[in-house]
Amino acid sequence: MTNQTRRYSTALLVAVSFIGSSAIPLFSATSAFAQTTFNDVPTGYWAQTFIQELASRDIIKGFPDGGFRPNDPVTRAQFAAMLSKAVNKAPIRGGVTFVDVASSYWAASAIQTSYTTGFMSGYPGNVFEPTQNIPRVQVLVSLANGLNYSASQSPETILQTYADASGIPNYARNSVAAATENRLVVNYPNVQFLNPNQTATRAEVAAFIYQSLVRSGQANAIASPYIVGQTTTTPPVQNQVRIPAGNVIAVQYSKDKILLGPDEKVPLVLNVSQNIANSQGTILIPAGTQVVGELRTVSGGAQFFASELVFANGQRKAINATSKVVTTTEKVDKGVNVGGLLQNAALGAAAAAAISAVTGDRAIATEEVLGGAGVAALIGLFLGRNSVTLASVNPNTDLAVTLNSDLLL
């Protein structure tokens, strides 16, 4: 064991209601009262063991209805709260006052701890964005940085493991490589797809945190075919159906328009608009199935990159599909009617910042802004401009996706 490993092997443990002592073991005994089975986490569910193990240690909990809601998104505040239950690391820096985290906020203490221990940071201007859904890449960066993991070989070599490595942001590449080498990464349903910018679910965060415990020597390894770098038997595939490349999936969205700023990428979840069936009439992809991916500004316009289908029963399937490049733009001038511009529209954070900076309107509703960097952190990039040109997408007509490779169901 290296000195670094020794130093950080005690960084993760279960926080329960007792007074700390050097004589107390890192993990408490499994609570006889902890709920470890959930009505929406069936036997055989890909993350069942990860969830049960953390629940037995009171790191995560279920809901009064007996469910765990494994596919629910996790916010930055919720992730900080999970860390506060799983981490016992001495502070490495002083505290900070985040302008959007009141002292009375339910997760204020956990957020402060996540910052002082080096697991999480805010955005420029002392903004934390506690209600922002946290992407998978941020969770992995947080764990790798907080535990001081570093890659022992070229990060780019390690990242070749992922078919979608190009989507990993530059700031995160070293940390994701370190997390990968230390086997923190769990990719379901396809171990080769990281889906870095996809919002992390409760099940995924549970898996990542548990793997951190395993790496620190505080939990037993779980045999799972979805742990990157772990040699296991590939799960059997039965009655697999193939939808050939070139097929088109029509989609719909709750908003009529999405605006993106320059060089912007935002996570986006669309819905299949009509049943997709085979020649015998068997429905393969029901209407309403989620199409998870990322909307990006690209050369010449904007384009949606689909990475995953999420079915109503929670089943997930990796997908490689893209929309056409949408070339429509919208120019925003100083003095424009912001209410009319934003009517039934969703915005990328860069687009929201650009509109705020050009028009002077700082009251854009946060629920209109898609995931990504905080708006306040980006406004300074557009101050002083009298106009800005944004990519404009009608998701209900522009974002039908075409399969780039065969889809196996």
Side-chain angles (χ1 to χ4, degrees):
M1 181 180 293
T2 65
N3 290 335
Q4 177 172 307
T5 302
R6 292 191 189 98
R7 181 180 176 186
Y8 291 99
S9 65
T10 58
L12 294 172
L13 78 161
V14 178
V16 293
S17 298
F18 54 69
I19 299 175
S21 166
S22 60
I24 295 177
L26 290 178
F27 282 110
S28 65
T30 301
S31 170
F33 303 102
Q35 179 186 1
T36 59
T37 59
F38 305 95
N39 56 31
D40 54 358
V41 181
T43 300
Y45 180 68
W46 73 270
Q48 178 193 17
T49 308
F50 299 113
I51 292 169
Q52 286 183 340
E53 288 294 325
L54 292 193
S56 71
R57 295 164 168 81
D58 285 333
I59 293 177
I60 55 177
K61 296 181 181 294
F63 294 88
D65 63 2
F68 180 75
R69 303 177 192 173
N71 295 317
D72 275 10
V74 176
T75 66
R76 284 169 54 82
Q78 289 169 343
F79 178 60
M82 291 181 186
L83 284 175
S84 72
K85 287 289 192 76
V87 171
N88 185 28
K89 179 184 175 184
I92 61 171
R93 58 187 175 185
V96 64
T97 300
F98 291 112
V99 297
D100 53 353
V101 181
S103 59
S104 59
Y105 186 63
W106 71 270
S109 177
I111 289 170
Q112 197 62 214
T113 299
S114 72
Y115 176 82
T116 59
T117 54
F119 280 87
M120 300 185 75
S121 295
Y123 296 109
N126 286 350
V127 174
F128 188 79
E129 299 282 6
T131 61
Q132 183 184 85
N133 288 341
I134 189 167
R136 285 167 52 90
V137 69
Q138 281 191 20
V139 175
L140 293 172
V141 169
S142 170
L143 292 171
N145 290 353
L147 296 172
N148 277 23
Y149 291 154
S150 59
S152 64
Q153 56 180 306
S154 165
E156 294 307 312
T157 299
I158 297 172
L159 295 181
Q160 290 177 8
T161 299
Y162 304 114
D164 55 353
S166 62
I168 302 172
N170 288 335
Y171 81 87
R173 298 184 77 83
N174 288 347
S175 297
V176 171
T180 301
E181 191 173 60
N182 284 278
R183 296 186 180 177
L184 270 59
V185 185
V186 184
N187 292 338
Y188 174 87
N190 189 328
V191 74
Q192 294 182 330
F193 283 86
L194 179 65
N195 296 313
N197 302 301
Q198 179 179 300
T199 296
T201 66
R202 283 168 54 80
E204 290 168 342
V205 172
F208 292 156
I209 290 178
Y210 187 83
Q211 285 302 109
S212 298
L213 299 178
V214 172
R215 176 62 181 84
S216 299
Q218 301 175 48
N220 294 325
I222 291 172
S224 168
Y226 306 112
I227 298 172
V228 177
Q230 177 167 294
T231 304
T232 56
T233 302
T234 301
V237 177
Q238 298 177 343
N239 301 321
Q240 198 166 60
V241 176
R242 183 186 302 271
I243 300 179
N247 274 277
V248 176
I249 301 176
V251 297
Q252 60 187 8
Y253 189 59
S254 59
K255 302 288 187 179
D256 295 331
K257 178 171 66 176
I258 301 174
L259 298 176
L260 294 183
D263 301 317
E264 183 154 36
K265 301 178 182 180
V266 296
L268 184 64
V269 180
L270 305 173
N271 289 288
V272 175
S273 60
Q274 58 190 35
N275 291 334
I276 296 176
N278 62 16
S279 57
Q280 288 75 42
T282 301
I283 296 175
L284 305 177
I285 305 177
T289 299
Q290 292 182 337
V291 184
V292 178
E294 189 175 64
L295 185 61
R296 310 174 190 168
T297 52
V298 296
S299 177
Q303 189 174 21
F304 179 65
F305 294 77
S307 58
E308 190 175 43
L309 296 177
V310 181
F311 294 84
N313 64 358
Q315 182 185 19
R316 294 174 175 237
K317 289 291 182 181
I319 181 175
N320 176 14
T322 51
S323 73
K324 66 180 182 180
V325 176
V326 183
T327 58
T328 307
T329 60
E330 192 160 349
K331 186 178 181 182
V332 179
D333 295 307
K334 184 175 291 187
V336 71
N337 182 335
V338 176
L341 174 70
L342 301 184
Q343 185 174 3
N344 204 29
L347 312 173
I355 293 170
S356 291
V358 169
T359 65
D361 188 335
R362 301 292 194 269
I364 295 176
T366 56
E367 62 267 18
E368 296 171 342
V369 180
L370 298 168
V375 175
L378 298 172
I379 288 179
L381 299 176
F382 301 97
L383 288 176
R385 298 193 188 185
N386 292 319
S387 66
V388 65
T389 299
L390 306 176
S392 180
V393 175
N394 182 332
N396 296 298
T397 58
D398 294 338
L399 298 186
V401 294
T402 300
L403 294 177
N404 298 319
S405 57
D406 292 354
L407 174 62
L408 300 180
L409 299 174

